[in-house]
Amino acid sequence: MGDMYADVIVDISSGQLDKTYQYSIPEQLLSVAVMGAPVIIPFGTAKREGYIVGLSGEPKIAVERIKPITAVKEKGQVIESQMIALAYFIRENFGATMNDALHTVLPVKQAVRRVEKKTLVADAGMDVLKDALEKAVRRGYAAKERLLRRLISDGELLWETVTGELSISSPTVQALVREGIVKVLVKESYRNPLTSLLKLNEGEGEEKSLKPLPPLNASQQKIHDRIAADLSAGVHKTYLVHGVTGSGKTEVYLSVIEEVVRAGRQVIMLIPEIALTYQTLLRFYRRFGDRVSVLHSRMSAGERYDQSLRAKNGEIDIIIGPRSALFTPFERLGLIILDEEHEASYKSEMPPKYHAREVAIERARLSGASVILGSATPSLWAYESAMRGEFILFTLKERAVPGALMPTVSVVDLREELAAGNRMIFSRALQEKMRKRLLSGQQTMLFLNRRGYAGFVSCRSCGHVMKCPHCDISMTEHDNGTLVCHYCGERRKKPATCPSCGSKYIAGFGTGTQKIEEGVKKIFPEARVLRMDADTTKKKESYSEILSSFSRGEADILVGTQMIVKGHDFPNVTLVGILAADLSLNSGDYQAAERTFDLLAQAAGRAGRGRLLGEVVIQTYQPDHYAIKSAAEADYEGFFRQEMAYRRALSYPPVSHVMVVLILSVKEARADGAARLIAGAAGEFIKQNGLCTTVVGPAPASLAKANDLYRRMVYCKETDYSWLTALKNFLEGYILYSEHFKNVNIQFDFDPVSGY
Ligand code: ADP
Ligand code: ZN
Ligand code: ZN
């Protein structure tokens, strides 16, 4: 073996994380000089500390100018080392530069506005204070008297109180300081964004005092006890809590968190940003008070850095936040929870396109912590891992509030509506149920699941959908009337009549929330309607404004996209209408059915959250599709079995793994050329290594052009993840040393959660 070299970063918080220096690794340090190891190195004339962020066998400068590492520091609980090791894991498994990965995991120093807290406290015993008070009264020093009386009763006075309410002048205070009776304290305190968030909403009349845990029911208690037993035995595992909406998962998290905190360890609670509502935060605040903090996208970089310092200093025990909260530098991390584990937002859309689930499990492994994944509709990935015995599975089948029932679900066949002459998007059954709600003063939510909608073509008479014969995914219609498969590039002319039943009602599916809103107003002119979609929520606040207005009963009907499915509880909503379940069922990627099942189950979970029984109407052209049938019957296991059979038949994840190489360029010819070269190079690598990896494409992405960039993709399927990452490493090298990739941006995405 030749000499080994390490890239060492010296100032980890500077933000210039790519500024590394190369050192050689002496023979005796080879086994300990690993990624992330803290090292001592000669730096100029002095010795400095740094971290290893890269390893290679290639010197970057003349060998005689490279100095050796002096020593590797004992590896202990050094959080920086752990985070660098985590960056390396991300870099290896999800494809990104080490620099991008480091920027993802390490907090970068930012100018922070600290809050100073100035107070006045006693500097002597109570008897001295009382003597001084007596003296002030005797001599008629009114100001001194006011101050001392208040200090004796309150113990500590805010500076604002001293100068404001008590109107004590500075010389008076100075005199008392000189006498050794009081002293002024200035504390620098980091702000807790959670407390300010909750203060902001004051006046909603809610109790913010700490509350003890209500007793868990038997099923909840069982989960708690098992995890608590593992914790106290020092056993660290990944648990999957599969519980219907409202089954009390959050209550279980709270009780387990309490155990972890009691044992002196810290907790990361991941929640999709959209579910990070006032009510959720309040629940945590009531249990844990100031020991909880929050991260969210509206916080500035400085505020985020602030929180990471507070975490590192041990000022907080629990952080709540979206994906990025995973990198909170807790030194005594004991537990990571991912609520709504199946949510696509846990996957980063920017390189490194890491998935928070897998990174959470790795972080927990590095710090000896446990992981809880929770969902009403677990991802196939998580449930399959649990089936294999890799995760421990718990199931909560009923709602936690005694007497709360699951809603009744009915499926409406839109083909029959057409046959009966109803061309509206509202079936007769749905209209009837809406009318009833209007009469009784209850509320309705109408839901158009456009997420992932990519312009599929289907038959209104028989429900037939145009699919790619090779990939079994819906084809997308392009302007010129061509249907394209975005995995393999297959093209077909759009047929004039349905190939299945001959009907001429074969077309793209065009409807939007605005059209629905107009439709509702036409049928029910007296109804008060609110609409929530990307257009009506451009401003940050409008999202919660619309929801709270609806929650206050200021509208009868809320029309919206998948945005309305999450978060708030509306006790007065007793009807949820899913207008076209087909929209997400035909989104043109292999996860269409899984996404549809999730959306339907979550939407159904919105109905009947209060005392009133809820009803759900699912409208569709494919009432026999297993995703729709099992969602209507709230049968997750049934869905899982059928969906796994489909994934197995076509070797889609989690049966095998997919790597998408996304090729972006402003020049179309360049994008095409680069995509062909990548597909060719991948084929070569596969042949050389005797692999069975399938390479599909190149093909134009579903969004073939966006932001002036042409988008092409090459799609690789392989059962062994490590061969897929080896292929990625090979392609990275190829791209780096080839002439043909100038002005071409190439991104890797492993097991993508959304279409391209
Ligand atoms: P999930 O996280 O599964 O949606 P939550 O923990 O939010 O469920 O619980 C749903 C509702 O049931 C909440 O209003 C919660 O206060 C209540 N709840 C949870 N556990 C219990 C329990 N053991 N007894 C009574 N009510 C409970
Ligand atoms: Zn047909
Ligand atoms: Zn295809």
Side-chain angles (χ1 to χ4, degrees):
M1 199 168 110
D3 289 334
M4 283 296 286
Y5 302 92
D7 299 319
V8 174
I9 189 163
V10 179
D11 185 1
I12 210 163
S13 63
S14 72
Q16 289 175 298
L17 296 171
D18 49 348
K19 211 165 160 199
T20 60
Y21 303 88
Q22 203 177 34
Y23 290 85
S24 61
I25 306 175
E27 184 90 41
Q28 73 277 12
L29 294 181
L30 275 174
S31 63
V32 284
V34 294
M35 268 293 186
V39 291
I40 313 247
I41 40 154
F43 197 81
T45 54
K47 294 259 191 262
R48 300 247 331 238
E49 285 181 22
Y51 297 93
I52 298 180
V53 296
L55 292 167
S56 81
E58 305 276 331
K60 291 178 186 165
I61 51 171
V63 179
E64 54 285 2
R65 285 179 49 213
I66 301 182
K67 293 178 195 159
I69 288 175
T70 310
V72 173
K73 290 175 65 180
E74 268 306 292
K75 263 195 100 176
Q77 289 289 16
V78 185
I79 188 69
E80 285 77 9
S81 301
Q82 252 183 43
M83 299 314 274
I84 293 166
L86 200 60
Y88 182 63
F89 173 85
I90 291 174
R91 186 243 164 291
E92 281 294 289
N93 285 282
F94 296 100
T97 62
M98 189 61 189
N99 188 36
D100 277 348
L102 286 171
H103 272 285
T104 303
V105 306
L106 292 174
V108 167
K109 197 179 280 170
Q110 296 281 347
V112 233
R113 206 158 41 94
R114 303 249 154 85
V115 181
E116 277 191 353
K117 195 176 156 208
K118 200 169 169 185
T119 57
L120 192 87
V121 295
D123 198 18
M126 194 50 88
D127 42 342
V128 179
L129 254 65
K130 285 191 172 148
D131 275 354
L133 173 62
E134 211 173 284
K135 215 160 77 185
V137 172
R138 262 201 324 268
R139 297 191 182 163
Y141 295 157
K144 263 190 187 172
E145 183 190 336
R146 267 203 312 282
L147 182 66
L148 287 167
R149 271 195 202 288
R150 189 63 174 269
L151 189 62
I152 288 167
S153 81
D154 290 8
E156 181 177 13
L157 298 176
L158 284 176
W159 190 249
E160 297 87 86
T161 314
V162 175
T163 55
E165 189 193 328
L166 299 173
S167 81
I168 310 288
S169 67
S170 189
T172 309
V173 175
Q174 289 315 317
L176 286 167
V177 170
R178 272 195 306 275
E179 289 170 47
I181 295 172
V182 303
K183 65 182 171 193
V184 179
L185 288 182
V186 180
K187 268 190 278 186
E188 239 184 3
S189 75
Y190 299 106
R191 285 159 305 169
N192 184 342
L194 181 61
T195 26
S196 46
L197 238 149
L198 294 176
K199 271 203 198 99
L200 222 112
N201 286 282
E202 246 163 18
E204 292 204 7
E206 278 175 277
E207 183 58 54
K208 290 191 192 63
S209 56
L210 305 195
K211 274 197 182 166
L213 295 162
L216 297 177
N217 63 36
S219 333
Q220 290 171 316
Q221 191 66 44
K222 227 177 88 192
I223 305 176
H224 166 99
D225 292 350
R226 167 66 204 267
I227 301 178
D230 283 352
L231 284 172
S232 58
V235 176
H236 302 294
K237 293 216 153 81
T238 299
Y239 308 91
L240 173 61
V241 181
H242 173 209
V244 298
T245 37
S247 59
K249 296 184 291 297
T250 309
E251 215 59 48
V252 173
Y253 305 150
L254 289 164
S255 73
V256 175
I257 291 172
E258 207 161 60
E259 300 277 355
V260 175
V261 170
R262 201 178 299 142
R265 311 233 4 215
Q266 296 155 319
V267 180
I268 296 173
M269 173 84 214
L270 300 185
I271 296 182
E273 178 107 30
I274 199 160
L276 213 56
T277 57
Y278 177 70
Q279 278 91 346
T280 310
L281 294 176
L282 192 59
R283 265 173 100 174
F284 280 84
Y285 186 74
R286 275 181 182 154
R287 287 289 161 74
F288 304 105
D290 269 342
R291 304 297 297 175
V292 194
S293 189
V294 64
L295 284 180
H296 55 79
S297 63
R298 289 181 304 280
M299 285 163 67
S300 66
E303 286 175 306
R304 289 164 166 276
Y305 184 66
D306 228 25
Q307 295 317 301
S308 69
L309 285 186
R310 296 181 69 221
K312 199 163 179 254
N313 296 341
E315 288 174 44
I316 48 179
D317 299 319
I318 304 152
I319 189 106
I320 307 177
R323 194 178 62 229
S324 58
L326 185 52
F327 305 112
T328 304
F330 279 137
E331 295 193 340
R332 292 171 281 111
L333 184 66
L335 176 68
I336 305 175
I337 300 175
L338 274 89
D339 192 28
E340 313 275 5
E341 153 286 321
H342 63 279
E343 272 287 307
S345 62
Y346 282 125
K347 178 93 189 247
S348 168
E349 286 175 358
M350 301 290 289
K353 297 183 178 180
Y354 69 93
H355 201 299
R357 260 180 336 223
E358 279 135 286
V359 178
I361 291 170
E362 175 65 8
R363 175 146 193 218
R365 194 185 66 77
L366 290 169
S367 28
S370 305
V371 177
I372 301 178
L373 307 173
S375 175
T377 53
S379 62
L380 254 69
W381 180 85
Y383 205 76
E384 199 266 340
S385 303
M387 290 292 111
R388 275 190 288 111
E390 198 173 317
F391 302 163
I392 293 169
L393 178 67
F394 299 111
T395 312
L396 292 171
K397 286 195 165 28
E398 268 143 42
R399 287 194 167 165
V401 173
L405 295 171
M406 294 304 283
T408 58
V409 182
S410 52
V411 176
V412 172
D413 188 340
L414 287 177
R415 296 170 304 183
E416 286 172 9
E417 292 297 310
L418 183 75
N422 176 15
R423 299 236 195 133
M424 271 186 296
I425 184 76
F426 308 100
S427 62
R428 291 157 298 170
L430 181 59
Q431 288 183 41
E432 192 45 48
K433 291 181 201 298
M434 286 169 73
R435 182 164 296 122
K436 267 196 203 148
R437 298 309 185 285
L438 285 171
L439 289 174
S440 62
Q442 294 170 10
Q443 291 173 300
T444 298
M445 281 169 97
L446 294 177
F447 170 57
L448 197 68
N449 44 330
R450 285 182 66 87
R451 187 165 106 201
Y453 173 68
F456 67 95
V457 168
S458 66
C459 171
R460 298 286 190 280
S461 302
C462 76
H464 179 82
V465 176
M466 296 302 293
K467 287 194 172 179
C468 171
H470 314 295
C471 310
D472 199 22
I473 59 160
S474 309
M475 297 179 94
T476 302
E477 183 175 9
H478 285 234
D479 296 339
N480 53 5
T482 320
L483 305 179
V484 181
C485 167
H486 293 295
Y487 282 177
C488 72
E490 171 83 17
R491 286 168 176 270
R492 304 235 151 155
K493 188 112 202 79
K494 186 181 145 191
T497 56
C498 171
S500 173
C501 75
S503 155
K504 61 182 193 323
Y505 288 109
I506 183 152
F509 204 106
T511 191
T513 39
Q514 201 168 346
K515 243 162 122 186
I516 307 243
E517 184 186 14
E518 286 161 13
V520 175
K521 284 181 173 158
K522 216 174 280 166
I523 309 173
F524 304 111
E526 73 284 8
R528 297 165 303 161
V529 187
L530 273 173
R531 175 163 63 95
M532 186 152 117
D533 55 25
D535 288 339
T536 61
T537 54
K538 284 220 177 73
K539 277 189 299 161
K540 279 268 191 247
E541 308 77 42
S542 48
Y543 171 76
S544 56
E545 268 165 26
I546 295 173
L547 290 178
S548 23
S549 160
F550 187 59
S551 154
R552 286 192 300 267
E554 290 166 11
D556 308 302
I557 298 167
L558 176 62
V559 177
T561 54
Q562 53 276 1
M563 282 180 184
I564 64 177
V565 173
K566 300 271 153 55
H568 283 241
D569 271 358
F570 303 106
N572 201 33
V573 170
T574 57
L575 176 63
V576 170
I578 292 139
L579 297 168
D582 309 76
L583 282 173
S584 55
L585 203 50
N586 298 304
S587 54
D589 63 278
Y590 73 87
Q591 282 171 316
E594 183 177 6
R595 192 174 308 128
T596 303
F597 181 85
D598 289 352
L599 290 170
L600 296 182
Q602 301 278 348
R606 290 295 99 194
R609 299 278 286 196
R611 301 250 163 267
L612 307 161
L613 181 64
E615 252 190 301
V616 179
V617 176
I618 301 175
Q619 303 192 143
T620 176
Y621 288 97
Q622 299 173 73
D624 297 322
H625 194 288
Y626 62 87
I628 291 178
K629 279 187 138 166
S630 37
E633 288 157 17
D635 176 15
Y636 178 84
E637 282 84 7
F639 169 74
F640 176 79
R641 269 195 309 278
Q642 303 218 47
E643 181 65 8
M644 280 304 289
Y646 163 71
R647 304 285 174 100
R648 241 177 254 119
L650 288 133
S651 301
Y652 286 131
V655 176
S656 89
H657 296 285
V658 165
M659 176 175 80
V660 169
V661 189
L662 184 67
I663 298 119
L664 307 167
S665 177
V666 284
K667 294 243 166 66
E668 187 165 17
R670 227 172 237 285
D672 282 328
R676 271 196 302 275
L677 284 173
I678 296 227
E684 202 52 43
F685 179 86
I686 290 158
K687 208 158 75 193
Q688 270 170 23
N689 291 283
L691 304 176
C692 314
T693 318
T694 322
V695 176
V696 190
S702 158
L703 253 176
K705 191 182 178 191
N707 301 323
D708 291 325
L709 289 173
Y710 288 91
R711 297 151 57 90
R712 298 293 178 265
M713 55 190 251
V714 173
Y715 178 97
C716 311
K717 261 195 292 195
E718 161 66 50
T719 45
D720 185 341
Y721 199 93
S722 58
W723 271 118
L724 215 48
T725 56
L727 172 58
K728 176 215 67 184
N729 288 341
F730 167 77
L731 289 175
E732 277 177 344
Y734 173 67
I735 292 159
L736 195 64
Y737 293 108
S738 162
E739 294 286 292
H740 303 283
F741 297 95
K742 294 219 176 75
N743 303 319
V744 180
N745 178 1
I746 293 178
Q747 299 179 3
F748 294 92
D749 190 356
F750 288 80
D751 292 351
V753 297
S754 54
Y756 276 95

